[in-house]
Amino acid sequence: MLELIKQPWHWAVAGTLIGLIIPLLLLVGNKKLGVSSSMRHLCAICIPKNISFFKYDWKKEIWNIFFVIGIFLGGFIANQFLSNPNEIELAQNTKVALAQFGITDYSELMPSQIFSLENIFTLRGFFFFVVGGFLVGFGSRYAGGCTSGHSIYGLATFQKPSLLATCCFMIGGFFTTNIVLPLVFKYF
């Protein structure tokens, strides 16, 4: 059984399992799936200031904090004990495209040519980690939720704003991958 868990799963299996979470959450307690809202809950718990945005009954949403903690714990357990020992398989076209950016090490899920301690304090690292992190945080707040909230929960419950947000997420991803990323690798 452990060997089965360690193998890569087909996207349809993982997608189906993620999709089944939505009706389960709705049936169990009319809960909404979303990860970015947990940051608001954490701030409401930790910030004692009189900020109206953080003045609400965060205790009703405490399950969301445990959900996010579970994501981190699950990721840690999977990385430490359930890692696939085989080399990561990428399509040849993807390898060719990444090689143009100098990314040739596929021994880990996150390429060491980008995600390493040496890159954190470089200009390229600044763009990837600081600018990218700011844009993700700003975009999540501006859109009223993150990709999991809009693209999984929102679309599953036929929310029109979630359809718009998901389209914008996709357009932003295509633009960044095809326009911004080549520029960052070329000039930084």
Side-chain angles (χ1 to χ4, degrees):
M1 178 70 167
L2 193 57
E3 287 304 314
L4 177 67
I5 293 173
K6 286 185 176 185
Q7 298 303 313
W9 290 9
H10 190 272
W11 61 266
V13 174
T16 301
L17 291 173
I18 291 170
L20 289 174
I21 289 174
I22 301 305
L24 181 67
L25 284 172
L26 290 171
L27 290 171
V28 168
N30 200 24
K31 303 292 184 193
K32 297 178 181 178
L33 177 71
V35 177
S36 62
S37 58
S38 61
M39 180 59 83
R40 180 182 183 207
H41 305 323
L42 282 174
C43 290
I45 293 168
C46 298
I47 297 176
K49 303 234 179 208
N50 230 358
I51 301 171
S52 61
F53 184 69
F54 298 132
K55 291 180 93 176
Y56 65 97
D57 189 8
W58 55 265
K59 292 175 184 170
K60 288 183 180 178
E61 303 297 328
I62 197 73
W63 73 272
N64 194 272
I65 302 292
F66 289 108
F67 179 74
V68 172
I69 291 169
I71 290 172
F72 283 110
L73 286 176
F76 176 78
I77 291 168
N79 184 52
Q80 294 298 315
F81 306 110
L82 303 173
S83 293
N84 182 1
N86 303 325
E87 186 174 321
I88 295 169
E89 296 179 29
L90 289 175
Q92 190 58 36
N93 290 345
T94 303
K95 287 182 180 181
V96 170
L98 290 174
Q100 293 174 355
F101 300 135
I103 301 171
T104 55
D105 181 12
Y106 312 116
S107 59
E108 298 181 37
L109 287 175
M110 298 171 60
S112 60
Q113 285 100 345
I114 299 172
F115 301 100
S116 66
L117 290 176
E118 296 86 37
N119 287 338
I120 290 177
F121 298 108
T122 65
L123 195 53
R124 183 183 292 175
F126 175 79
F127 275 98
F128 274 105
F129 302 116
V130 177
V131 174
F134 172 79
L135 289 173
V136 167
F138 175 81
S140 293
R141 178 68 184 111
Y142 187 72
C146 59
T147 52
S148 60
H150 281 299
S151 302
I152 298 172
Y153 177 82
L155 290 180
T157 55
F158 303 108
Q159 303 292 320
K160 288 180 185 177
S162 292
L163 178 60
L164 177 63
T166 301
C167 289
C168 290
F169 294 151
M170 295 301 295
I171 291 167
F174 293 139
F175 178 78
T176 301
T177 300
N178 293 299
I179 306 296
V180 176
L181 199 60
L183 292 174
V184 169
F185 276 105
K186 183 176 182 179
Y187 294 109
F188 302 105

